Amino acid sequence: MTIAAVLRQKGNAAISVTPETPVVEIARIMAARRIGAVLIVTASGQVAGILSERDIVKSVADRRNGARCLAAEEIMTREVIMIGPDTPVEAALEIMDQGYFRHLPVCDADGTLLGIVSIRDLVKFRFAKQEHDVEALKAYVTRSFMH
Protein backbone atom coordinates (compact mmCIF):
# COMPACT_ATOMS: atom_id res chain seq x y z
CA MET A 1 0.00 0.00 0.00
CA THR A 2 1.62 3.20 -1.17
CA ILE A 3 0.70 6.86 -1.13
CA ALA A 4 0.15 6.67 -4.90
CA ALA A 5 -2.77 4.30 -4.25
CA VAL A 6 -4.22 6.72 -1.70
CA LEU A 7 -3.99 9.60 -4.19
CA ARG A 8 -5.65 7.48 -6.89
CA GLN A 9 -8.53 6.79 -4.51
CA LYS A 10 -9.00 10.28 -3.04
CA GLY A 11 -7.76 12.45 -5.89
CA ASN A 12 -4.73 14.69 -6.04
CA ALA A 13 -6.31 18.09 -5.46
CA ALA A 14 -4.22 20.22 -3.14
CA ILE A 15 -5.45 23.64 -2.13
CA SER A 16 -2.65 26.17 -2.24
CA VAL A 17 -2.23 29.90 -1.69
CA THR A 18 0.60 32.37 -2.08
CA PRO A 19 2.85 33.48 0.79
CA GLU A 20 1.17 36.91 0.71
CA THR A 21 -2.36 35.56 1.18
CA PRO A 22 -3.99 36.98 4.33
CA VAL A 23 -4.47 34.42 7.10
CA VAL A 24 -8.11 35.48 7.49
CA GLU A 25 -8.72 34.56 3.84
CA ILE A 26 -6.98 31.22 4.36
CA ALA A 27 -9.16 30.49 7.39
CA ARG A 28 -12.24 31.17 5.24
CA ILE A 29 -10.96 28.82 2.53
CA MET A 30 -10.25 26.10 5.08
CA ALA A 31 -13.70 26.47 6.66
CA ALA A 32 -15.51 26.48 3.31
CA ARG A 33 -13.61 23.46 1.98
CA ARG A 34 -13.58 21.65 5.33
CA ILE A 35 -9.84 21.07 5.18
CA GLY A 36 -7.21 21.32 7.89
CA ALA A 37 -4.27 22.74 5.95
CA VAL A 38 -3.25 24.58 2.81
CA LEU A 39 0.05 24.57 1.01
CA ILE A 40 1.91 27.83 0.53
CA VAL A 41 3.28 27.86 -3.01
CA THR A 42 5.50 30.47 -4.63
CA ALA A 43 4.86 32.01 -8.06
CA SER A 44 7.40 29.52 -9.48
CA GLY A 45 5.39 26.59 -8.12
CA GLN A 46 7.71 25.66 -5.25
CA VAL A 47 6.23 24.62 -1.90
CA ALA A 48 7.36 27.35 0.52
CA GLY A 49 5.41 26.09 3.50
CA ILE A 50 2.23 24.67 4.93
CA LEU A 51 -0.36 26.41 7.08
CA SER A 52 -2.61 24.34 9.30
CA GLU A 53 -5.51 25.02 11.62
CA ARG A 54 -3.08 24.54 14.48
CA ASP A 55 -0.80 27.30 13.10
CA ILE A 56 -3.74 29.69 12.92
CA VAL A 57 -4.93 28.89 16.45
CA LYS A 58 -1.39 29.34 17.79
CA SER A 59 -1.04 32.73 16.06
CA VAL A 60 -4.36 33.90 17.53
CA ALA A 61 -3.29 32.78 21.01
CA ASP A 62 0.20 34.33 20.74
CA ARG A 63 -0.75 37.76 19.41
CA ARG A 64 -2.91 40.40 21.03
CA ASN A 65 -4.45 41.32 17.67
CA GLY A 66 -4.70 37.68 16.62
CA ALA A 67 -4.09 36.77 13.01
CA ARG A 68 -6.26 39.47 11.48
CA CYS A 69 -3.44 41.39 9.74
CA LEU A 70 -1.03 38.54 9.09
CA ALA A 71 0.00 36.97 5.81
CA ALA A 72 0.57 33.25 5.38
CA GLU A 73 4.36 33.64 5.23
CA GLU A 74 4.40 35.12 8.74
CA ILE A 75 3.04 32.03 10.48
CA MET A 76 3.42 29.12 8.05
CA THR A 77 5.59 26.13 8.81
CA ARG A 78 8.59 26.50 6.53
CA GLU A 79 10.31 23.16 7.12
CA VAL A 80 7.83 21.00 5.27
CA ILE A 81 8.26 17.25 5.39
CA MET A 82 7.28 15.83 2.01
CA ILE A 83 6.84 12.27 0.85
CA GLY A 84 6.90 10.57 -2.51
CA PRO A 85 4.19 8.52 -4.18
CA ASP A 86 6.12 5.31 -3.47
CA THR A 87 6.13 5.94 0.29
CA PRO A 88 4.31 3.12 2.10
CA VAL A 89 1.16 4.21 3.94
CA GLU A 90 2.58 2.81 7.19
CA ALA A 91 5.72 4.94 6.79
CA ALA A 92 3.63 8.06 6.16
CA LEU A 93 1.59 7.36 9.30
CA GLU A 94 4.81 6.98 11.28
CA ILE A 95 6.16 10.29 9.92
CA MET A 96 2.94 12.01 10.96
CA ASP A 97 3.01 10.45 14.40
CA GLN A 98 6.65 11.35 15.01
CA GLY A 99 6.22 14.94 13.79
CA TYR A 100 2.84 15.58 15.44
CA PHE A 101 1.22 16.74 12.23
CA ARG A 102 -1.77 15.63 10.19
CA HIS A 103 -0.89 16.52 6.59
CA LEU A 104 1.89 15.52 4.20
CA PRO A 105 2.46 16.99 0.75
CA VAL A 106 3.31 14.42 -1.91
CA CYS A 107 5.97 15.31 -4.50
CA ASP A 108 7.73 13.40 -7.24
CA ALA A 109 11.52 13.09 -7.47
CA ASP A 110 11.71 16.45 -9.29
CA GLY A 111 9.83 18.22 -6.51
CA THR A 112 6.62 18.57 -8.51
CA LEU A 113 3.60 18.65 -6.21
CA LEU A 114 1.37 15.62 -6.78
CA GLY A 115 -1.13 16.17 -3.97
CA ILE A 116 -1.51 16.12 -0.21
CA VAL A 117 -2.64 13.40 2.18
CA SER A 118 -4.15 13.80 5.61
CA ILE A 119 -4.21 11.40 8.52
CA ARG A 120 -7.91 10.92 7.78
CA ASP A 121 -7.13 9.92 4.17
CA LEU A 122 -4.60 7.34 5.33
CA VAL A 123 -6.82 5.85 8.04
CA LYS A 124 -9.77 5.68 5.65
CA PHE A 125 -7.60 3.97 3.03
CA ARG A 126 -6.27 1.50 5.58
CA PHE A 127 -9.76 0.56 6.79
CA ALA A 128 -10.96 0.05 3.21
CA LYS A 129 -7.95 -2.17 2.51
CA GLN A 130 -8.60 -4.24 5.64
CA GLU A 131 -12.27 -4.62 4.72
CA HIS A 132 -11.27 -5.77 1.24
CA ASP A 133 -8.81 -8.28 2.71
CA VAL A 134 -11.45 -9.69 5.09
CA GLU A 135 -13.92 -10.11 2.22
CA ALA A 136 -11.25 -11.84 0.12
CA LEU A 137 -10.49 -14.23 2.98
CA LYS A 138 -14.18 -14.99 3.48
CA ALA A 139 -14.55 -15.74 -0.22
CA TYR A 140 -11.48 -17.99 -0.13
CA VAL A 141 -12.67 -19.91 2.92
CA THR A 142 -16.18 -20.27 1.48
CA ARG A 143 -14.77 -21.62 -1.80
CA SER A 144 -12.50 -24.03 0.07
CA PHE A 145 -15.39 -25.57 1.98
CA MET A 146 -17.64 -25.75 -1.08
CA HIS A 147 -15.24 -28.01 -3.00
Side-chain angles (χ1 to χ4, degrees):
M1 294 191 308
T2 66
I3 294 300
V6 176
L7 288 177
R8 277 193 300 277
Q9 181 179 320
K10 74 161 253 182
N12 62 349
I15 306 302
S16 64
V17 298
T18 65
E20 301 79 27
T21 306
V23 171
V24 171
E25 183 180 328
I26 295 169
R28 286 188 188 114
I29 291 167
M30 292 166 83
R33 300 242 185 183
R34 297 176 50 151
I35 57 175
V38 296
L39 294 172
I40 313 303
V41 179
T42 65
S44 64
Q46 295 297 100
V47 175
I50 189 167
L51 187 64
S52 70
E53 294 166 319
R54 190 180 300 157
D55 295 324
I56 293 172
V57 168
K58 184 177 182 319
S59 72
V60 169
D62 289 348
R63 292 172 171 80
R64 189 176 340 147
N65 294 331
R68 190 164 289 284
C69 299
L70 297 176
E73 62 193 345
E74 295 177 74
I75 64 170
M76 69 185 184
T77 300
R78 294 174 186 277
E79 299 295 319
V80 182
I81 305 291
M82 296 189 230
I83 57 174
D86 295 333
T87 302
V89 169
E90 294 301 322
L93 287 166
E94 182 68 22
I95 291 167
M96 289 175 159
D97 182 49
Q98 294 295 315
Y100 295 101
F101 42 81
R102 298 175 296 209
H103 300 86
L104 285 171
V106 183
C107 295
D108 66 12
D110 298 328
T112 302
L113 183 64
L114 301 175
I116 187 169
V117 292
S118 70
I119 188 82
R120 182 174 185 259
D121 298 330
L122 300 184
V123 169
K124 184 178 175 182
F125 183 82
R126 222 170 133 194
F127 278 135
K129 174 81 168 96
Q130 286 175 332
E131 191 173 299
H132 176 268
D133 291 348
V134 167
E135 292 304 316
L137 283 171
K138 282 181 186 176
Y140 175 76
V141 169
T142 303
R143 279 194 312 269
S144 296
F145 286 115
M146 305 278 288
H147 290 103

